[in-house]
Short mmCIF file of all heavy atoms in Angstrom, two decimals:
data_model
loop_
_atom_site.label_atom_id
_atom_site.label_comp_id
_atom_site.label_asym_id
_atom_site.label_seq_id
_atom_site.Cartn_x
_atom_site.Cartn_y
_atom_site.Cartn_z
N GLY L 293 95.29 119.11 81.72
CA GLY L 293 96.28 119.92 81.03
C GLY L 293 97.31 120.55 81.94
O GLY L 293 97.94 121.55 81.57
N ARG L 294 97.48 119.96 83.13
CA ARG L 294 98.42 120.54 84.11
C ARG L 294 99.54 119.56 84.46
O ARG L 294 100.07 119.57 85.56
CB ARG L 294 97.65 120.92 85.38
CG ARG L 294 96.58 121.97 85.14
CD ARG L 294 95.69 122.15 86.37
NE ARG L 294 96.47 122.54 87.53
CZ ARG L 294 96.19 123.60 88.28
NH1 ARG L 294 95.19 124.39 87.94
NH2 ARG L 294 96.90 123.87 89.34
N ALA L 295 99.89 118.73 83.50
CA ALA L 295 100.91 117.71 83.76
C ALA L 295 102.25 118.33 84.13
O ALA L 295 102.92 117.90 85.08
CB ALA L 295 101.07 116.81 82.53
N ARG L 296 102.66 119.37 83.39
CA ARG L 296 103.95 120.00 83.66
C ARG L 296 103.95 120.69 85.02
O ARG L 296 104.95 120.68 85.74
CB ARG L 296 104.28 121.01 82.56
CG ARG L 296 104.67 120.38 81.24
CD ARG L 296 105.17 121.42 80.26
NE ARG L 296 105.61 120.82 79.01
CZ ARG L 296 106.12 121.50 77.99
NH1 ARG L 296 106.26 122.83 78.08
NH2 ARG L 296 106.51 120.88 76.89
N LEU L 297 102.82 121.29 85.37
CA LEU L 297 102.71 121.94 86.67
C LEU L 297 102.88 120.92 87.80
O LEU L 297 103.62 121.16 88.77
CB LEU L 297 101.35 122.64 86.80
CG LEU L 297 101.08 123.31 88.16
CD1 LEU L 297 101.99 124.51 88.35
CD2 LEU L 297 99.60 123.73 88.26
N PHE L 298 102.19 119.78 87.67
CA PHE L 298 102.28 118.77 88.71
C PHE L 298 103.70 118.20 88.79
O PHE L 298 104.23 117.99 89.89
CB PHE L 298 101.28 117.63 88.46
CG PHE L 298 101.28 116.60 89.55
CD1 PHE L 298 100.52 116.78 90.69
CD2 PHE L 298 102.06 115.45 89.46
CE1 PHE L 298 100.54 115.84 91.72
CE2 PHE L 298 102.08 114.50 90.47
CZ PHE L 298 101.31 114.71 91.60
N GLU L 299 104.30 117.96 87.65
CA GLU L 299 105.66 117.42 87.63
C GLU L 299 106.63 118.38 88.31
O GLU L 299 107.48 117.96 89.11
CB GLU L 299 106.10 117.15 86.19
CG GLU L 299 107.48 116.51 86.10
CD GLU L 299 107.88 116.22 84.67
OE1 GLU L 299 107.02 116.32 83.77
OE2 GLU L 299 109.06 115.89 84.45
N ALA L 300 106.51 119.66 88.00
CA ALA L 300 107.37 120.66 88.64
C ALA L 300 107.11 120.73 90.14
O ALA L 300 108.05 120.87 90.95
CB ALA L 300 107.16 122.03 88.00
N ALA L 301 105.84 120.62 90.53
CA ALA L 301 105.49 120.65 91.95
C ALA L 301 106.06 119.43 92.67
O ALA L 301 106.55 119.54 93.81
CB ALA L 301 103.97 120.69 92.11
N ALA L 302 106.02 118.26 92.01
CA ALA L 302 106.56 117.05 92.62
C ALA L 302 108.07 117.16 92.80
O ALA L 302 108.61 116.78 93.84
CB ALA L 302 106.21 115.83 91.76
N VAL L 303 108.75 117.68 91.80
CA VAL L 303 110.21 117.86 91.90
C VAL L 303 110.54 118.83 93.02
O VAL L 303 111.47 118.60 93.82
CB VAL L 303 110.77 118.36 90.55
CG1 VAL L 303 112.23 118.79 90.71
CG2 VAL L 303 110.65 117.28 89.49
N THR L 304 109.79 119.91 93.12
CA THR L 304 110.03 120.91 94.16
C THR L 304 109.77 120.33 95.55
O THR L 304 110.53 120.59 96.49
CB THR L 304 109.14 122.14 93.93
OG1 THR L 304 109.47 122.72 92.67
CG2 THR L 304 109.33 123.17 95.03
N ALA L 305 108.71 119.54 95.69
CA ALA L 305 108.41 118.92 96.99
C ALA L 305 109.56 118.03 97.43
O ALA L 305 109.98 118.07 98.60
CB ALA L 305 107.11 118.12 96.91
N GLY L 306 110.07 117.20 96.51
CA GLY L 306 111.19 116.34 96.83
C GLY L 306 112.43 117.12 97.20
O GLY L 306 113.13 116.79 98.16
N ALA L 307 112.73 118.17 96.42
CA ALA L 307 113.91 118.99 96.70
C ALA L 307 113.78 119.69 98.05
O ALA L 307 114.76 119.79 98.81
CB ALA L 307 114.09 120.01 95.58
N TYR L 308 112.59 120.17 98.36
CA TYR L 308 112.36 120.86 99.63
C TYR L 308 112.59 119.91 100.81
O TYR L 308 113.25 120.26 101.79
CB TYR L 308 110.95 121.41 99.65
CG TYR L 308 110.63 122.27 100.86
CD1 TYR L 308 110.89 123.64 100.84
CD2 TYR L 308 110.06 121.72 102.00
CE1 TYR L 308 110.60 124.43 101.94
CE2 TYR L 308 109.77 122.50 103.10
CZ TYR L 308 110.04 123.86 103.07
OH TYR L 308 109.76 124.65 104.16
N SER L 309 112.04 118.69 100.69
CA SER L 309 112.20 117.71 101.75
C SER L 309 113.67 117.35 101.95
O SER L 309 114.17 117.27 103.07
CB SER L 309 111.39 116.46 101.44
OG SER L 309 111.62 115.45 102.39
N ARG L 310 114.39 117.13 100.84
CA ARG L 310 115.81 116.78 100.94
C ARG L 310 116.61 117.92 101.56
O ARG L 310 117.54 117.69 102.34
CB ARG L 310 116.36 116.42 99.56
CG ARG L 310 115.86 115.08 99.03
CD ARG L 310 116.47 114.74 97.67
NE ARG L 310 116.10 113.41 97.25
CZ ARG L 310 114.99 113.11 96.60
NH1 ARG L 310 114.14 114.09 96.26
NH2 ARG L 310 114.72 111.86 96.26
N ALA L 311 116.25 119.14 101.20
CA ALA L 311 116.95 120.30 101.76
C ALA L 311 116.74 120.40 103.28
O ALA L 311 117.64 120.83 104.00
CB ALA L 311 116.47 121.58 101.08
N CYS L 312 115.57 119.97 103.73
CA CYS L 312 115.30 120.01 105.18
C CYS L 312 116.21 119.06 105.94
O CYS L 312 116.45 119.26 107.14
CB CYS L 312 113.84 119.66 105.44
SG CYS L 312 112.66 120.92 104.92
N ASP L 313 116.72 118.05 105.28
CA ASP L 313 117.66 117.13 105.92
C ASP L 313 119.09 117.65 105.89
O ASP L 313 119.99 117.10 106.53
CB ASP L 313 117.63 115.76 105.22
CG ASP L 313 116.36 114.99 105.52
OD1 ASP L 313 115.73 115.28 106.55
OD2 ASP L 313 116.00 114.10 104.72
N GLY L 314 119.31 118.72 105.12
CA GLY L 314 120.64 119.30 105.01
C GLY L 314 120.70 120.63 105.73
O GLY L 314 120.32 120.75 106.90
N GLY L 315 121.13 121.65 105.00
CA GLY L 315 121.25 122.96 105.62
C GLY L 315 119.97 123.78 105.58
O GLY L 315 119.95 124.93 105.99
N GLY L 316 118.92 123.19 105.05
CA GLY L 316 117.65 123.90 104.95
C GLY L 316 117.46 124.48 103.56
O GLY L 316 118.44 124.76 102.86
N PRO L 317 116.22 124.66 103.11
CA PRO L 317 115.97 125.18 101.77
C PRO L 317 116.39 126.65 101.65
O PRO L 317 116.24 127.43 102.59
CB PRO L 317 114.45 125.03 101.62
CG PRO L 317 113.93 125.00 103.01
CD PRO L 317 114.98 124.37 103.85
N GLY L 318 116.92 126.99 100.48
CA GLY L 318 117.31 128.37 100.22
C GLY L 318 116.11 129.25 99.90
O GLY L 318 114.96 128.77 99.83
N VAL L 319 116.37 130.50 99.65
CA VAL L 319 115.30 131.47 99.43
C VAL L 319 114.46 131.11 98.20
O VAL L 319 113.23 131.12 98.25
CB VAL L 319 115.90 132.89 99.26
CG1 VAL L 319 114.80 133.89 98.90
CG2 VAL L 319 116.60 133.32 100.53
N LEU L 320 115.13 130.77 97.08
CA LEU L 320 114.39 130.47 95.86
C LEU L 320 113.56 129.20 96.02
O LEU L 320 112.41 129.14 95.56
CB LEU L 320 115.36 130.32 94.69
CG LEU L 320 116.03 131.61 94.22
CD1 LEU L 320 117.01 131.32 93.08
CD2 LEU L 320 114.98 132.62 93.76
N LEU L 321 114.12 128.19 96.68
CA LEU L 321 113.38 126.94 96.87
C LEU L 321 112.19 127.16 97.78
O LEU L 321 111.10 126.63 97.54
CB LEU L 321 114.31 125.86 97.45
CG LEU L 321 113.68 124.48 97.69
CD1 LEU L 321 113.03 123.96 96.41
CD2 LEU L 321 114.74 123.50 98.20
N ARG L 322 112.36 127.96 98.80
CA ARG L 322 111.24 128.27 99.70
C ARG L 322 110.13 129.00 98.94
O ARG L 322 108.94 128.74 99.15
CB ARG L 322 111.70 129.11 100.88
CG ARG L 322 112.51 128.35 101.91
CD ARG L 322 112.50 129.06 103.27
NE ARG L 322 112.98 130.43 103.17
CZ ARG L 322 114.25 130.80 103.29
NH1 ARG L 322 115.18 129.87 103.49
NH2 ARG L 322 114.60 132.07 103.21
N ALA L 323 110.53 129.90 98.05
CA ALA L 323 109.53 130.65 97.29
C ALA L 323 108.77 129.74 96.33
O ALA L 323 107.54 129.82 96.22
CB ALA L 323 110.22 131.77 96.51
N ARG L 324 109.51 128.85 95.63
CA ARG L 324 108.84 127.90 94.73
C ARG L 324 107.92 126.99 95.52
O ARG L 324 106.79 126.70 95.09
CB ARG L 324 109.88 127.06 93.98
CG ARG L 324 110.57 127.78 92.86
CD ARG L 324 111.15 126.81 91.82
NE ARG L 324 111.97 125.77 92.41
CZ ARG L 324 113.27 125.90 92.68
NH1 ARG L 324 113.88 127.05 92.43
NH2 ARG L 324 113.94 124.90 93.19
N HIS L 325 108.40 126.54 96.66
CA HIS L 325 107.59 125.64 97.49
C HIS L 325 106.30 126.33 97.94
O HIS L 325 105.22 125.72 97.93
CB HIS L 325 108.41 125.17 98.69
CG HIS L 325 107.71 124.16 99.55
ND1 HIS L 325 106.95 124.51 100.64
CD2 HIS L 325 107.65 122.80 99.45
CE1 HIS L 325 106.46 123.42 101.19
NE2 HIS L 325 106.86 122.37 100.50
N ALA L 326 106.41 127.58 98.35
CA ALA L 326 105.23 128.32 98.80
C ALA L 326 104.23 128.50 97.66
O ALA L 326 103.01 128.39 97.86
CB ALA L 326 105.65 129.69 99.35
N ALA L 327 104.74 128.75 96.46
CA ALA L 327 103.85 128.91 95.31
C ALA L 327 103.13 127.61 94.98
O ALA L 327 101.91 127.60 94.75
CB ALA L 327 104.65 129.40 94.10
N PHE L 328 103.87 126.52 94.98
CA PHE L 328 103.25 125.23 94.68
C PHE L 328 102.33 124.77 95.81
O PHE L 328 101.40 124.00 95.57
CB PHE L 328 104.32 124.18 94.41
CG PHE L 328 104.93 124.27 93.03
CD1 PHE L 328 106.30 124.35 92.87
CD2 PHE L 328 104.13 124.30 91.91
CE1 PHE L 328 106.87 124.44 91.60
CE2 PHE L 328 104.67 124.38 90.63
CZ PHE L 328 106.05 124.46 90.48
N ASP L 329 102.59 125.26 97.02
CA ASP L 329 101.69 124.90 98.11
C ASP L 329 100.30 125.45 97.84
O ASP L 329 99.31 124.77 98.10
CB ASP L 329 102.24 125.45 99.44
CG ASP L 329 101.48 124.90 100.63
OD1 ASP L 329 101.61 123.70 100.91
OD2 ASP L 329 100.71 125.67 101.26
#
Side-chain angles (χ1 to χ4, degrees):
R294 299 171 58 128
R296 288 188 177 182
L297 177 69
F298 183 85
E299 183 178 349
V303 170
T304 299
Y308 186 89
S309 175
R310 289 182 174 87
C312 289
D313 288 337
V319 175
L320 290 178
L321 181 55
R322 286 201 304 271
R324 284 203 309 274
H325 184 268
F328 282 127
D329 190 69

